[in-house]
Amino acid sequence: MTTEPQAPPPSRAWRLLDLVVGLGAWAGALCVTGILVSYSIEVFMRYLLNAPTSWASDFVKYFLCGAVFLAMPQLTREGAHVSVTVFKGKLPARSEALAARLGLLISAAVCLLVGWLALEQTIYNFSRGIDTMSLIAIPKWIVAAPITFGFVVSGLVLLAQVLRLDAASTEAAR
């Protein structure tokens, strides 16, 4: 039996954020499946029936955008994104912890700002009824919405990581 203090169970807000991140990752995986299906249909139609599709290339681009930005919060949560670790392990522990928090806060601010700008553009595209410029036009807000999701939810994940670091350091100080 362990005598280490147990972390309290995650709050409802943490669980909700984790649920949204997980749903985004699943939606991103569905987009990857959409890419596979679109290209498979294109290859079949082009090389076996000599009748290429007019839509597959465009839909693959849309699915790629969705796959990247819907999965972005999951990668952020797991720390699977690109990071610069020049100072990691070279600073005193307190300075390193402060630098980590500062980096997370700056990253969160940038993500939330870009997410806000993407949201404004998504709303603009929706309210004006703007479509993509392709052979099979679709509403542009559908393509822009995953960008908004990716940046806003990633910003929230980064803020949650700062709060979790603060909670962990408070618990360790006890």
Side-chain angles (χ1 to χ4, degrees):
M1 191 160 108
T2 181
T3 59
E4 303 231 354
Q6 296 296 318
S11 71
R12 179 175 283 168
W14 299 135
R15 290 192 310 263
L16 179 62
L17 182 60
D18 286 342
L19 175 67
V20 169
V21 168
L23 290 174
W26 274 102
L30 287 175
C31 287
V32 172
T33 303
I35 292 170
L36 174 70
V37 169
S38 297
Y39 267 138
S40 296
I41 291 170
E42 172 64 18
V43 167
F44 177 79
M45 297 295 291
R46 179 178 297 269
Y47 296 110
L48 294 177
L49 301 179
N50 200 25
T53 64
S54 60
W55 55 268
S57 179
D58 289 332
F59 276 65
V60 165
K61 292 173 194 172
Y62 305 148
F63 283 135
L64 182 60
C65 180
V68 168
F69 289 103
L70 292 169
M72 183 174 153
Q74 175 75 24
L75 297 173
T76 302
R77 181 175 64 180
E78 293 175 357
H81 49 72
V82 175
S83 64
V84 179
T85 57
V86 173
F87 298 114
K88 191 165 180 89
K90 296 182 177 138
L91 294 173
R94 190 171 177 165
S95 297
E96 190 170 316
L98 180 63
R101 283 182 183 79
L102 184 61
L104 289 170
L105 285 172
I106 291 170
S107 298
V110 169
C111 282
L112 291 171
L113 175 63
V114 173
W116 174 257
L117 295 173
L119 177 62
E120 286 181 334
Q121 188 63 45
T122 303
I123 292 170
Y124 178 82
N125 291 337
F126 180 80
S127 65
R128 302 280 179 157
I130 298 173
D131 292 336
T132 58
M133 294 179 63
S134 59
L135 291 174
I136 299 175
I138 66 167
K140 207 171 194 179
W141 70 268
I142 293 173
V143 179
I147 299 170
T148 302
F149 174 86
F151 278 105
V152 169
V153 178
S154 290
L156 295 175
V157 166
L158 291 164
L159 286 177
Q161 288 176 352
V162 171
L163 294 174
R164 286 175 178 162
L165 278 177
D166 290 342
S169 66
T170 303
E171 184 67 29
R174 288 184 193 178

